[in-house]
Amino acid sequence: MTQPGTFHGVGLGPGDPDLLTVQAVKLVESAGLLTYFAKAGRRGNARAIVDKWVPKGKPELPLWYPMTTESHFGSDVYVDTLREFYERSVGAIADVLDMGKDVVLVCEGDPMFYGSFMHLHARLKDRYPTKITPGVTGMAGCWAAAGLAMTWGDDQLSVLPGTLDEDDLVERLKATDAAVIMKLGSNFPKVRKAIERAGLTARATYVERGTMAGEIVLPLAERAEDSAPYFSLILIPGEGRRP
Amino acid sequence: MTQPGTFHGVGLGPGDPDLLTVQAVKLVESAGLLTYFAKAGRRGNARAIVDKWVPKGKPELPLWYPMTTESHFGSDVYVDTLREFYERSVGAIADVLDMGKDVVLVCEGDPMFYGSFMHLHARLKDRYPTKITPGVTGMAGCWAAAGLAMTWGDDQLSVLPGTLDEDDLVERLKATDAAVIMKLGSNFPKVRKAIERAGLTARATYVERGTMAGEIVLPLAERAEDSAPYFSLILIPGEGRRP
């Protein structure tokens, strides 16, 4: 029987192709199959980041998210549709692993930090050898781009989704030393208000497309728009011990 | 007048030399001066990580931490000694920048996430061009090594120092979805007790030297010793939405 291949989750970092790790580049080069998530019919951002490192003729498989715009996030239809999509993706990947080939799934940022990869990893890790190559997170790319020193001495850092309700956000912002607020989108006005109520607007920086083309770094107070794209977040650095 | 050089803070990642980014490798190769923090008289861990990427004959300057074992952490003597050390380091680096050479300070993990680099960056950023190259954090190296998917869906993540008092730790652990507890050392028994009180021991994993030689990954409950070395942390993954 053929020895099964290894399933790799490989972080690509925040967007600049030179922020791939050396190990990520090696795995992209040696992959039996290169795979990645993308919107249906698109090449997607992960594939764009990795482009300059993909050898000509490398077998590839895009994993196209199902269209779910019509169904609400937490709804049964949404959950079922996604579940079927993940199961189907797992099937396709398992077929290649069974042929003894390594499958490399490349992901924006770090694969184990809010990564869709995790849904496939959870289904495959007990059936096949799996290996994780960590990546530079999107938030680290953003604080580097902004030149912000995030955590000092014994600072605590809270990573908060903008989906939390306003009062909850205010309370958590008041209780932490440093914060990263992700998943802004249409939550942006609410998040902005929560930061204002916590008295932190003067310390907050808005970053869009950190390390990528079209990068924007602004004091939060100077950001006029009332929504924010997918690749954006707000950074509030800590103020801990600094001799 | 000579154009001043650029001061670079470059993250080296969690320990495996192949977890440097491509950009970090390029900067180490092109640096006018390579510099790094280390214990007095030692080569130190950052220099060890980067070793295979340093060209022969590259000018180097170790920045040796002053001996502070005798003085307590928060004491005036400690703070003054460190401040003098940072000022002295800044002076040496500025001299080289003034000669028009780029200075590359390499740091374990990410330079803006609990990095000593930040103390020099704060002093130099308004005087010289500075650039940050983000790195894979130590915690991402550890959760990759442990194969732990940390944050799902709308999970919040709290990064907590083990220096917090026990009641505070318990409260914060109860209020978050996912947690990383760093700075264990002699705080380890207290941290263990706080996790127990928060009812999270079964979900907690202890990781020592993640991605490095001598790596240890253990369920927290199976870790017998009552202290933990510098390169160790505890991971409690979130349990958020997973179709």
Side-chain angles (χ1 to χ4, degrees):
Chain A
M1 214 185 107
T2 316
Q3 198 76 3
T6 295
F7 180 46
H8 287 273
V10 173
L12 297 178
D16 179 336
D18 280 358
L19 291 177
L20 261 77
T21 64
V22 173
Q23 189 171 307
V25 172
K26 283 184 186 175
L27 286 169
V28 167
E29 285 170 354
S30 69
L33 174 71
L34 181 70
T35 183
Y36 41 87
F37 290 101
K39 276 190 195 160
R42 305 281 188 85
R43 204 161 78 131
N45 197 55
R47 182 60 182 79
I49 294 174
V50 83
D51 195 49
K52 86 175 206 191
W53 304 109
V54 180
K56 227 181 150 165
K58 175 70 65 185
E60 298 188 27
L61 176 68
L63 303 171
W64 281 335
Y65 286 113
M67 301 295 210
T68 51
T69 38
E70 295 301 305
S71 46
H72 183 267
F73 217 49
S75 75
D76 289 352
V77 177
Y78 175 83
V79 171
D80 287 347
T81 308
L82 264 186
R83 185 179 299 128
E84 277 164 35
F85 164 61
Y86 291 137
E87 299 292 353
R88 213 173 343 116
S89 303
V90 158
I93 289 170
D95 286 348
V96 178
L97 293 171
D98 286 336
M99 293 162 64
K101 291 183 180 171
D102 289 347
V103 175
V104 170
L105 198 163
V106 291
C107 332
E108 298 145 71
D110 179 88
M112 296 307 226
F113 190 65
Y114 302 105
S116 295
F117 162 76
M118 301 178 346
H119 298 285
L120 306 194
H121 177 256
R123 289 168 166 86
L124 286 164
K125 70 185 167 67
D126 297 329
R127 294 170 51 197
Y128 296 94
T130 57
K131 196 168 180 316
I132 311 299
T133 297
V136 175
T137 55
M139 63 183 186
C142 287
W143 66 57
L148 290 175
M150 281 302 290
T151 49
W152 301 79
D154 289 337
D155 277 345
Q156 301 166 54
L157 170 72
S158 295
V159 180
L160 304 170
T163 48
L164 291 173
D165 77 39
E166 187 180 316
D167 288 348
D168 197 4
L169 269 172
V170 173
E171 203 179 307
R172 289 175 189 279
L173 286 168
K174 282 184 176 171
T176 195
D177 301 307
V180 176
I181 305 146
M182 321 215 304
K183 311 206 176 192
L184 298 177
S186 59
N187 299 300
F188 189 71
K190 175 186 65 186
V191 170
R192 189 208 292 269
K193 219 163 130 195
I195 294 171
E196 187 66 43
R197 284 176 55 197
L200 293 168
T201 303
R203 277 170 54 196
T205 298
Y206 171 83
V207 186
E208 191 176 308
R209 300 188 59 81
T211 87
M212 287 178 271
E215 174 183 294
I216 295 173
V217 177
L218 272 182
L220 177 60
E222 292 176 22
R223 161 107 185 146
E225 290 79 354
D226 254 354
S227 73
Y230 179 73
F231 286 106
S232 66
L233 43 73
I234 292 170
L235 301 169
I236 301 176
E239 298 186 312
R241 199 172 58 237
R242 46 183 99 183
Chain B
M1 216 185 106
T2 315
Q3 198 77 2
T6 295
F7 180 45
H8 287 273
V10 174
L12 297 178
D16 179 335
D18 280 357
L19 291 178
L20 261 76
T21 63
V22 173
Q23 189 171 308
V25 172
K26 283 183 186 175
L27 286 169
V28 167
E29 284 170 354
S30 68
L33 174 71
L34 180 71
T35 183
Y36 41 87
F37 290 101
K39 277 191 194 161
R42 304 281 187 84
R43 204 161 78 130
N45 197 56
R47 182 61 183 79
I49 293 173
V50 83
D51 195 49
K52 86 175 204 190
W53 305 109
V54 181
K56 226 180 152 168
K58 175 70 64 186
E60 298 187 29
L61 175 68
L63 303 171
W64 281 335
Y65 285 113
M67 299 297 209
T68 51
T69 39
E70 296 299 309
S71 45
H72 182 268
F73 219 47
S75 76
D76 289 352
V77 178
Y78 175 84
V79 171
D80 287 347
T81 308
L82 264 186
R83 185 179 297 128
E84 279 163 35
F85 164 61
Y86 291 136
E87 297 293 353
R88 213 175 341 118
S89 302
V90 159
I93 288 169
D95 287 347
V96 178
L97 294 171
D98 285 336
M99 294 162 65
K101 293 184 180 170
D102 290 347
V103 176
V104 171
L105 199 162
V106 290
C107 332
E108 298 146 68
D110 179 87
M112 297 306 227
F113 189 66
Y114 302 104
S116 295
F117 162 76
M118 301 176 348
H119 298 286
L120 307 194
H121 177 257
R123 289 167 166 87
L124 286 164
K125 70 186 167 65
D126 297 329
R127 295 170 51 197
Y128 296 94
T130 57
K131 195 167 182 315
I132 311 299
T133 298
V136 176
T137 55
M139 65 185 187
C142 287
W143 67 55
L148 289 176
M150 282 302 290
T151 49
W152 300 78
D154 288 338
D155 278 345
Q156 301 165 54
L157 170 72
S158 295
V159 180
L160 304 170
T163 47
L164 291 174
D165 77 38
E166 188 179 316
D167 289 348
D168 198 5
L169 269 172
V170 173
E171 203 178 309
R172 289 175 189 279
L173 286 169
K174 282 183 176 170
T176 194
D177 300 308
V180 176
I181 304 145
M182 320 214 305
K183 311 206 175 192
L184 297 176
S186 59
N187 299 300
F188 189 70
K190 175 187 65 186
V191 170
R192 189 207 292 271
K193 220 163 129 193
I195 293 171
E196 187 66 42
R197 283 177 55 199
L200 293 168
T201 303
R203 276 170 54 194
T205 298
Y206 171 83
V207 186
E208 191 175 308
R209 301 185 61 78
T211 86
M212 288 179 269
E215 174 184 293
I216 295 173
V217 177
L218 271 181
L220 177 59
E222 292 176 19
R223 160 104 187 149
E225 290 79 356
D226 254 353
S227 74
Y230 179 71
F231 285 106
S232 65
L233 43 73
I234 292 170
L235 301 169
I236 301 176
E239 298 186 314
R241 198 174 58 236
R242 47 183 98 183

